[in-house]
Amino acid sequence: MKSPEASATAKQQSTVRWVVAIAAIALIFDGYDLVVYGTIVSTLLGDPTQLGEIGPATAGMLGSWALFGVMVGALVTGAVGDYLGRRKIMITGIVWFSIGMGLTSLANSVMVFGTLRFATGLGVGALVATAGAVVAEFAPKGKRNYYNAVVYSGVPVGGVLASLLAIVLMDHVGWRGLFLIGATPLLFLLPMALSKLPESPEWLMARGRTEEALHASIRTGIPISAPAPAQGAHVLAPIPADTKIGFLALASRKYALPTLLLGLMSFAGLLLTYGLNTWLPQIMSQFGYGKSYSLSFLLVLNAGAVFGGLIASVGADRIGAKRVVSTTFFLAAVAMLMLTLQLPFTILLALVAVAGVGTIGTQVLIYGFVSNYYNSSARGAGVAWCAGFGRLGGIFGPLIGGLLMAAGVENEIAFYVFSAVAIVGALVTACVPLRNSETNTPTRSAAQVEIAK
């Protein structure tokens, strides 16, 4: 017969698998949304019958509108997410994003397309801002960076998916069909989330909903971080009612400086992520590579981020995310500088993969870093702040690329600019104060509490 502890562990493992799977699939479609626009930019630039006459600057602006929506969605989520709960925000984000992608496939003008890209970004922002908080509160200690990397690697996986589908399906379904694929989470991911995504016991505890937290912990097997109950106690001690929650907590003396620095890290990471994903095919085509080769660079960029990010996350759990993020930022700078050299094609592909680790992969690690830096009362707002403020960098990435292309500067200049941003990201990361994000209080499952009664 299984002991209560063993039963709780089995429940926890099952719960964590479902939570990680749902969050990862949601972010796969975030990555799909990010990269699918980059795969159709050339089509929109070259065919005015699609949405109208579009130049490089307008194309960059359209890419940035989606990111502006993500920023607004993330910040709004940060304002309400720590009050409404992780489950409600995730489900709302899935529905909103899917409907937005479906409607975008029907756009018939630049104005409508840009408006729908902004609206879709609101749902994406909710998902990105909440996923890290969800994983941090369900994943076991010692593996939180790894599970965060698994979930946020969904972004580059989505990029790989978008690149592959563009190569295979573009001539058959066109750009509208590619966007319609982005609406499919409504058919399979939403039912999965409704049935398998629980509310976080730790979040319930942070809101003072003690009995609900206890029942949720028993049902899911997820431990609750709380002081050990006194002899004969039947409930867990809730967090004090006057604890600052959400953005108020971020403005406290404890978190103000780290929040600023973490936001700047995310700004740099997302500027590089969105800038390269939007303009890498176009830059490489101007180096003389055809459309298929250019899309291959995009594929390798995101594939490198997936595998490199997962490997780097193991190191982050062992030696700390701060050291690893600084290193990967620096590697990105070196790789992008070397991309300006006349090197063999295979070496260029390897450098693009390293750049993927140091840009998209680094942003994956940043989300894990941020998620584990804050306690539950500030975690949702902290991740939302970094996702939202960071999206300013995401907005500037496509704009900078578009302005450089429109100005007719040499192709190398774009890589020089992105390398400089990576160096700044490494320096900012080095300045983040070290902090033990793990509480010193024991972690007790509801089953253990029942034994203690």
Side-chain angles (χ1 to χ4, degrees):
M1 182 177 179
K2 287 185 179 180
S3 67
E5 293 91 336
S7 177
T9 300
K11 287 180 182 178
Q12 181 183 15
Q13 291 174 346
S14 176
T15 299
V16 170
R17 281 195 293 267
W18 277 110
V19 168
V20 168
I22 291 167
I25 293 171
L27 292 192
I28 283 175
F29 282 89
D30 171 27
Y32 183 89
D33 174 75
L34 155 67
V35 175
V36 74
Y37 179 70
T39 68
I40 71 166
V41 165
S42 297
T43 299
L44 298 182
L45 288 171
D47 186 358
T49 65
Q50 298 298 321
L51 295 175
E53 194 70 39
I54 296 177
T58 302
M61 181 189 68
L62 287 175
S64 296
W65 266 109
L67 307 182
F68 184 63
V70 175
M71 180 187 71
V72 174
L75 292 176
V76 170
T77 297
V80 302
D82 285 319
Y83 292 90
L84 297 181
R86 318 304 187 203
R87 186 175 187 272
K88 290 180 182 177
I89 297 296
M90 285 289 291
I91 290 173
T92 301
I94 291 169
V95 173
W96 193 294
F97 164 82
S98 301
I99 293 175
M101 286 291 281
L103 292 176
T104 303
S105 71
L106 305 176
N108 57 6
S109 70
V110 172
M111 179 64 71
V112 173
F113 184 85
T115 301
L116 289 171
R117 292 293 289 153
F118 171 80
T120 303
L122 296 175
V124 175
L127 293 175
V128 173
T130 308
V134 168
V135 174
E137 292 177 3
F138 281 94
K141 293 180 180 180
K143 287 191 174 181
R144 288 179 176 172
N145 280 296
Y146 174 74
Y147 279 117
N148 263 286
V150 170
V151 167
Y152 281 101
S153 288
V155 176
V157 167
V160 171
L161 179 64
S163 301
L164 287 174
L165 291 180
I167 293 171
V168 175
L169 298 179
M170 177 72 85
D171 293 335
H172 303 286
V173 302
W175 70 266
R176 296 181 188 276
L178 294 177
F179 271 87
L180 194 58
I181 291 172
T184 57
L186 200 62
L187 303 178
F188 70 94
L189 184 59
L190 177 61
M192 189 187 303
L194 288 172
S195 63
K196 294 295 184 180
L197 182 65
E199 187 53 88
S200 161
E202 185 173 342
W203 176 81
L204 290 168
M205 192 68 186
R207 297 298 294 143
R209 294 158 63 174
T210 305
E211 291 300 326
E212 291 179 67
L214 178 59
H215 293 154
S217 181
I218 293 172
R219 185 173 63 255
T220 63
I222 300 299
I224 302 173
S225 296
Q231 184 68 30
H234 292 272
V235 296
L236 301 177
I239 290 177
D242 60 350
T243 297
K244 291 183 178 179
I245 297 172
F247 284 126
L248 288 176
L250 300 189
S252 65
R253 180 181 302 178
K254 177 181 180 181
Y255 287 133
L257 176 60
T259 295
L260 174 62
L261 295 174
L262 292 169
L264 291 173
M265 284 169 55
S266 188
F267 180 95
L270 285 168
L271 188 154
L272 296 171
T273 295
Y274 283 84
L276 285 177
N277 269 300
T278 300
W279 289 109
L280 182 63
Q282 190 72 10
I283 293 172
M284 299 311 291
S285 69
Q286 293 186 12
F287 275 114
Y289 295 95
K291 181 177 179 180
S292 295
Y293 281 110
S294 297
L295 290 176
S296 297
F297 282 116
L298 201 60
L299 178 64
V300 170
L301 180 79
N302 286 276
V306 173
F307 295 106
L310 288 174
I311 293 171
S313 71
V314 176
D317 276 321
R318 292 180 178 177
I319 66 173
K322 177 178 174 177
R323 294 180 184 177
V324 177
V325 170
S326 294
T327 302
T328 53
F329 262 134
F330 180 75
L331 288 175
V334 173
M336 286 185 287
L337 287 175
M338 294 184 68
L339 283 173
T340 64
L341 306 177
Q342 298 295 322
L343 298 171
F345 180 70
T346 53
I347 295 179
L348 286 178
L349 286 178
L351 289 172
V352 169
V354 173
V357 177
T359 55
I360 308 168
T362 294
Q363 187 60 33
V364 167
L365 295 173
I366 289 172
Y367 283 128
F369 188 9
V370 173
S371 299
N372 294 314
Y373 200 90
Y374 297 98
N375 60 29
S376 185
S377 62
R379 184 172 290 125
V383 178
W385 157 255
C386 288
F389 180 76
R391 247 48 184 201
L392 284 175
I395 291 169
F396 281 113
L399 280 177
I400 289 172
L403 292 173
L404 291 173
M405 295 295 105
V409 300
E410 294 183 2
N411 301 326
E412 292 87 349
I413 299 299
F415 284 133
Y416 294 152
V417 171
F418 289 142
S419 295
V421 172
I423 292 294
V424 172
L427 295 175
V428 170
T429 303
C431 294
V432 176
L434 286 174
R435 179 178 177 274
N436 180 13
S437 63
E438 305 291 340
T439 61
N440 293 323
T441 56
T443 301
R444 297 163 62 87
S445 70
Q448 291 173 314
V449 175
E450 290 292 328
I451 294 172
K453 287 182 178 181

